[in-house]
Amino acid sequence: MTFQTFRTLIAAAVVTLSLGAPAMADVVIQWASSNNNVTLQSGGILAAVGNTRNAARFEIVRLEGRRIALRASDGSYVRAGVGQQTLLASGSPHIRGWETFVLDSAGGDTFSLRSLQNGKFVELDASGRLAATADIRNFQTQLRLITVGERPQAQRPDRPQVEWAGTWRQVWVTTPDGRRVSAPRGTDVRFIIARDMTVSITAGCNTIGSRLTLRGQRATFAPAMMTRMRCDTVLQRFEQRLAGAMDAVQSYEYREGQIAFLNARGHTILQIAR
């Protein structure tokens, strides 16, 4: 295949990416200001320095709302904040703050990436390396996502087995506006899953009871039953949000020791960790 043929093939498949749906194929990142494709340099550093045939391929991992992570072909995740220049590089084994980006449409077929950790937009430095350093979104922060076909299943890491039974002491609920809310400071949260999949949750005031049913990646909670003790307004509001989120759960994902429960639209609404 000639270089011109390769470029024609991928240019014909520019992604019109739905911000509410998961990506089903790998993508090449192309910088709009130069039409250069992103490659991986030494140390996994991302750089857009030429339309090369060894353009890096990434899988878009949907989180909640417009938040995403980028998974490289070796199964590691892209993180910002590498070095003093806040460079982007692959190699991270988990998804946390520096591995989370906000993906926004910039008009037409272009998008922008903003680091969730420092709030900066991703742009190119003087050497063509990707860095989360731009204070505002402009033409220099615009990129294209180009589909390059399905990733072979063998390249994906094996799905880890989840040990559900036990006490999960970290609990977050996602509000309708996309904020992740944890229990009030000083609260001893216990999200207990028994081996028969009955669920008991305490957060210092009321007790919430339910049962978790799993079928493959599908997950549902039986209608939550909650005691009616009066308690601190903030804590009571958190308990109500938690019970409401459980009622809306439709599926789950296991992410680096955390379980993310998703609603019917595929948005994370509840997360738990040990």
Short mmCIF file of all heavy atoms in Angstrom, two decimals, residues 33-57:
data_model
loop_
_atom_site.label_atom_id
_atom_site.label_comp_id
_atom_site.label_asym_id
_atom_site.label_seq_id
_atom_site.Cartn_x
_atom_site.Cartn_y
_atom_site.Cartn_z
N SER A 33 -4.50 21.81 12.55
CA SER A 33 -3.70 22.93 12.07
C SER A 33 -2.59 22.50 11.12
O SER A 33 -2.10 23.30 10.33
CB SER A 33 -3.10 23.70 13.25
OG SER A 33 -2.28 22.86 14.03
N SER A 34 -2.18 21.23 11.19
CA SER A 34 -1.07 20.77 10.36
C SER A 34 -1.40 19.52 9.55
O SER A 34 -0.62 19.14 8.67
CB SER A 34 0.14 20.45 11.25
OG SER A 34 -0.18 19.40 12.17
N ASN A 35 -2.54 18.89 9.84
CA ASN A 35 -2.92 17.61 9.23
C ASN A 35 -1.91 16.50 9.54
O ASN A 35 -1.83 15.51 8.81
CB ASN A 35 -3.10 17.75 7.71
CG ASN A 35 -4.34 18.53 7.35
OD1 ASN A 35 -5.34 18.50 8.07
ND2 ASN A 35 -4.28 19.27 6.26
N ASN A 36 -1.13 16.67 10.61
CA ASN A 36 -0.18 15.64 11.02
C ASN A 36 -0.86 14.64 11.94
O ASN A 36 -1.63 15.01 12.82
CB ASN A 36 1.01 16.27 11.74
CG ASN A 36 1.92 17.02 10.79
OD1 ASN A 36 1.92 16.78 9.59
ND2 ASN A 36 2.70 17.94 11.33
N ASN A 37 -0.55 13.37 11.76
CA ASN A 37 -1.09 12.32 12.61
C ASN A 37 -0.23 12.14 13.85
O ASN A 37 0.99 12.31 13.80
CB ASN A 37 -1.17 11.00 11.85
CG ASN A 37 -2.13 11.07 10.68
OD1 ASN A 37 -3.10 11.82 10.71
ND2 ASN A 37 -1.87 10.29 9.64
N VAL A 38 -0.85 11.77 14.95
CA VAL A 38 -0.14 11.58 16.20
C VAL A 38 0.58 10.23 16.18
O VAL A 38 -0.01 9.20 15.83
CB VAL A 38 -1.11 11.65 17.39
CG1 VAL A 38 -0.42 11.23 18.69
CG2 VAL A 38 -1.66 13.07 17.52
N THR A 39 1.86 10.23 16.56
CA THR A 39 2.65 9.02 16.71
C THR A 39 3.18 8.94 18.13
O THR A 39 3.07 9.90 18.90
CB THR A 39 3.83 9.01 15.72
OG1 THR A 39 4.66 10.15 15.98
CG2 THR A 39 3.33 9.09 14.28
N LEU A 40 3.75 7.79 18.47
CA LEU A 40 4.35 7.60 19.79
C LEU A 40 5.86 7.68 19.67
O LEU A 40 6.48 6.93 18.91
CB LEU A 40 3.95 6.24 20.38
CG LEU A 40 2.46 6.03 20.67
CD1 LEU A 40 2.24 4.64 21.25
CD2 LEU A 40 1.93 7.09 21.63
N GLN A 41 6.47 8.60 20.41
CA GLN A 41 7.91 8.74 20.44
C GLN A 41 8.48 7.96 21.62
O GLN A 41 7.77 7.25 22.32
CB GLN A 41 8.29 10.22 20.52
CG GLN A 41 7.85 11.04 19.32
CD GLN A 41 8.32 12.48 19.38
OE1 GLN A 41 8.55 13.03 20.45
NE2 GLN A 41 8.48 13.10 18.22
N SER A 42 9.77 8.09 21.84
CA SER A 42 10.43 7.41 22.95
C SER A 42 9.75 7.75 24.27
O SER A 42 9.40 8.91 24.52
CB SER A 42 11.90 7.82 23.01
OG SER A 42 12.55 7.24 24.13
N GLY A 43 9.54 6.73 25.10
CA GLY A 43 8.87 6.93 26.37
C GLY A 43 7.37 7.05 26.25
O GLY A 43 6.69 7.39 27.22
N GLY A 44 6.81 6.75 25.06
CA GLY A 44 5.37 6.82 24.86
C GLY A 44 4.83 8.22 24.66
O GLY A 44 3.62 8.44 24.65
N ILE A 45 5.73 9.23 24.48
CA ILE A 45 5.30 10.62 24.28
C ILE A 45 4.52 10.74 22.99
O ILE A 45 4.93 10.24 21.94
CB ILE A 45 6.52 11.57 24.24
CG1 ILE A 45 7.28 11.52 25.57
CG2 ILE A 45 6.08 12.99 23.92
CD1 ILE A 45 6.50 12.05 26.75
N LEU A 46 3.36 11.43 23.06
CA LEU A 46 2.52 11.65 21.88
C LEU A 46 3.00 12.90 21.14
O LEU A 46 3.19 13.95 21.75
CB LEU A 46 1.05 11.82 22.27
CG LEU A 46 0.21 10.55 22.44
CD1 LEU A 46 0.75 9.66 23.55
CD2 LEU A 46 -1.25 10.90 22.70
N ALA A 47 3.19 12.77 19.82
CA ALA A 47 3.63 13.90 19.01
C ALA A 47 2.96 13.84 17.66
O ALA A 47 2.70 12.76 17.11
CB ALA A 47 5.15 13.89 18.85
N ALA A 48 2.63 15.02 17.09
CA ALA A 48 2.04 15.13 15.75
C ALA A 48 3.08 15.78 14.86
O ALA A 48 3.16 17.01 14.78
CB ALA A 48 0.76 15.94 15.79
N VAL A 49 3.90 14.95 14.24
CA VAL A 49 5.04 15.48 13.48
C VAL A 49 5.04 15.05 12.02
O VAL A 49 5.97 15.38 11.29
CB VAL A 49 6.37 15.05 14.13
CG1 VAL A 49 6.53 15.70 15.49
CG2 VAL A 49 6.45 13.53 14.27
N GLY A 50 4.03 14.31 11.57
CA GLY A 50 4.02 13.93 10.16
C GLY A 50 2.94 12.92 9.86
O GLY A 50 2.47 12.20 10.74
N ASN A 51 2.54 12.86 8.59
CA ASN A 51 1.54 11.89 8.15
C ASN A 51 2.23 10.56 7.88
O ASN A 51 2.44 10.15 6.75
CB ASN A 51 0.82 12.39 6.90
CG ASN A 51 -0.20 13.44 7.24
OD1 ASN A 51 -1.16 13.15 7.93
ND2 ASN A 51 0.02 14.66 6.80
N THR A 52 2.64 9.88 8.91
CA THR A 52 3.39 8.65 8.77
C THR A 52 2.48 7.44 8.80
O THR A 52 1.39 7.47 9.34
CB THR A 52 4.42 8.53 9.92
OG1 THR A 52 3.72 8.57 11.15
CG2 THR A 52 5.42 9.67 9.87
N ARG A 53 2.99 6.33 8.25
CA ARG A 53 2.20 5.11 8.22
C ARG A 53 2.15 4.44 9.60
O ARG A 53 1.36 3.53 9.80
CB ARG A 53 2.77 4.14 7.19
CG ARG A 53 2.60 4.63 5.75
CD ARG A 53 3.07 3.60 4.77
NE ARG A 53 2.28 2.37 4.87
CZ ARG A 53 2.44 1.34 4.05
NH1 ARG A 53 3.35 1.38 3.10
NH2 ARG A 53 1.70 0.26 4.19
N ASN A 54 3.02 4.87 10.50
CA ASN A 54 3.00 4.28 11.84
C ASN A 54 2.23 5.17 12.82
O ASN A 54 2.57 5.24 14.00
CB ASN A 54 4.42 4.04 12.35
CG ASN A 54 5.22 5.33 12.50
OD1 ASN A 54 4.94 6.29 11.81
ND2 ASN A 54 6.21 5.34 13.37
N ALA A 55 1.19 5.84 12.32
CA ALA A 55 0.36 6.65 13.20
C ALA A 55 -0.17 5.79 14.34
O ALA A 55 -0.57 4.64 14.15
CB ALA A 55 -0.80 7.25 12.41
N ALA A 56 -0.15 6.33 15.56
CA ALA A 56 -0.62 5.59 16.73
C ALA A 56 -2.13 5.40 16.66
O ALA A 56 -2.86 6.26 16.16
CB ALA A 56 -0.23 6.33 18.00
N ARG A 57 -2.58 4.28 17.18
CA ARG A 57 -4.01 3.97 17.22
C ARG A 57 -4.47 3.96 18.67
O ARG A 57 -3.79 3.41 19.54
CB ARG A 57 -4.27 2.63 16.55
CG ARG A 57 -3.90 2.62 15.08
CD ARG A 57 -3.90 1.22 14.50
NE ARG A 57 -5.24 0.63 14.51
CZ ARG A 57 -5.65 -0.26 13.62
NH1 ARG A 57 -4.86 -0.66 12.66
NH2 ARG A 57 -6.87 -0.77 13.69
#
